[in-house]
Amino acid sequence: MKQTNSTGIGLVLGVGLLLSPSEFALAQELPLQLPKSADERTLPIDYTAFWFAEKFDGVRGYWDGKQMLTRSGQPIAAPQWFIDPLPSVPVEGELWIERGRFSEVSGIVRQTRADAGWEKVRFMVFDLPAHRGRFEQRYKQLSNWVTQVNAPHIQLVPVDLVVSEEQLHRVLTQTKLAGGEGLMLYRRDSYYALGRTDNVLKLKGYEDAEGVVMGYTQGKGKYAGLVGALIIQFQGQELRIGSGLSDQDRREPPPIGTVITFRYNGLTRTGLPRFARFHRIRTAY
């Protein structure tokens, strides 16, 4: 199957619009295209210049044409049947099971061998990093390839055109009520840009950040004998996070030195996150 797909990949993905191997080898030394947060922007955004899609809460997968890698460049031990349909050019997507199952897919991806669990994972593809075209061109080529390869575990992330800001926030509300994490916005006429860029935006209705666990407070009342809050170092300041911790988290808290992700809604006058709540331990991916 892989040989067949590779043979036809030039026509499907458009050889003339791909970076040369030497150009892309240089690009690989730099970060991938990373989104900025629409929630944190203060200037008005022309949302009608974007396509939107659900933000899948999985593990970002990067197929470099030969192997599956994490965002940090670590090899992923995906089974041969999983990668056989993939082309000889880079494809970017999200390794995902379904809403609310991030921990499960993260555990599968962290395996050093391609053991059980991969039959549940889907590669939700959304971009062609080495393609010279604008987003709409890249997406069209990707769509054509997904249709041709016809592999159930490889799916195209569906996108829709933003009609208005009101429509976008209505869809965001519906997505979150259904258990989704948020939305991704892709600027229609943008080229693939390395690093953090406003050509891609994430919209969650809240902000998130990371901090290092420096210690704990003692729990009180029903949490007596357990951890009351995590003491976090955030941008040189101390922040205490108790909200969002499960009983298990309080019994066995993240070890000191662990980097965690937390969510919040704006900043206080002193620059600390407002209504901070624990989300999860940050993985290496």
Side-chain angles (χ1 to χ4, degrees):
M1 186 186 298
K2 188 173 183 179
Q3 183 178 1
T4 301
N5 293 334
S6 297
T7 301
I9 203 66
L11 294 176
V12 176
L13 297 185
V15 169
L17 292 175
L18 291 173
L19 297 176
S20 68
S22 59
E23 288 176 310
F24 195 72
L26 176 62
Q28 283 182 301
E29 299 174 4
L30 303 174
L32 297 174
Q33 179 169 264
L34 301 173
K36 291 185 178 179
S37 173
D39 299 300
E40 296 177 358
R41 293 175 66 90
T42 56
L43 296 177
I45 301 173
D46 178 13
Y47 287 111
T48 60
F50 291 83
W51 291 89
F52 73 89
E54 180 173 344
K55 184 182 187 302
F56 293 100
D57 189 18
V59 174
R60 192 164 181 177
Y62 176 75
W63 172 255
D64 71 353
K66 296 181 179 179
Q67 63 178 334
M68 186 73 75
L69 303 168
T70 68
R71 172 178 150 183
S72 59
Q74 299 175 4
I76 295 175
Q80 193 62 43
W81 64 264
F82 193 92
I83 63 175
D84 268 345
L86 295 172
S88 58
V89 298
V91 178
E92 197 169 357
E94 199 81 5
L95 296 166
W96 186 75
I97 297 178
E98 62 180 27
R99 293 166 174 165
R101 296 176 69 176
F102 170 81
S103 295
E104 186 175 355
V105 71
S106 177
I108 293 170
V109 169
R110 288 201 308 269
Q111 297 173 151
T112 56
R113 297 186 305 173
D115 291 329
W118 279 94
E119 70 280 356
K120 296 178 285 188
V121 178
R122 284 172 277 174
F123 190 31
M124 306 295 296
V125 297
F126 56 77
D127 215 333
L128 294 169
H131 197 294
R132 293 182 182 273
R134 301 177 187 272
F135 175 75
E136 290 184 327
Q137 295 172 303
R138 301 197 306 271
Y139 187 82
K140 182 178 180 180
Q141 296 283 1
L142 190 58
S143 176
N144 291 340
W145 171 72
V146 170
T147 300
Q148 183 194 60
V149 76
N150 193 29
H153 66 283
I154 300 174
Q155 298 183 17
L156 184 71
V157 171
V159 300
D160 287 295
L161 189 64
V162 179
V163 176
S164 67
E165 184 173 351
E166 292 73 22
Q167 168 227 23
L168 191 63
H169 285 282
R170 183 173 64 253
V171 174
L172 174 63
T173 299
Q174 294 169 346
T175 300
K176 294 181 70 174
L177 286 173
E181 186 182 21
L183 301 177
M184 296 297 299
L185 310 178
Y186 301 94
R187 194 179 298 275
R188 300 165 59 185
D189 63 353
S190 65
Y191 296 102
Y192 193 93
L194 299 175
R196 196 70 64 179
T197 172
D198 58 8
N199 289 337
V200 185
L201 301 173
K202 55 184 177 180
L203 181 64
K204 299 181 178 181
Y206 56 80
E207 300 163 60
D208 55 22
E210 295 175 347
V212 180
V213 177
M214 305 301 293
Y216 318 98
T217 66
Q218 291 296 318
K220 299 179 181 179
K222 68 175 182 178
Y223 296 130
L226 305 176
V227 166
L230 306 177
I231 301 175
I232 304 299
Q233 184 180 44
F234 172 72
Q235 297 183 356
Q237 300 189 74
E238 183 180 292
L239 176 66
R240 300 188 178 195
I241 300 178
S243 179
L245 293 173
S246 67
D247 289 349
Q248 182 63 28
D249 293 328
R250 295 178 190 277
R251 284 191 294 268
E252 299 179 10
I256 290 175
T258 301
V259 179
I260 68 160
T261 300
F262 62 92
R263 294 173 172 174
Y264 64 100
N265 296 84
L267 300 174
T268 66
R269 291 183 179 180
T270 59
L272 285 175
R274 189 187 305 274
F275 307 124
R277 58 259 187 209
F278 175 78
H279 179 42
R280 66 186 180 210
I281 294 174
R282 191 195 71 180
T283 69
Y285 303 101

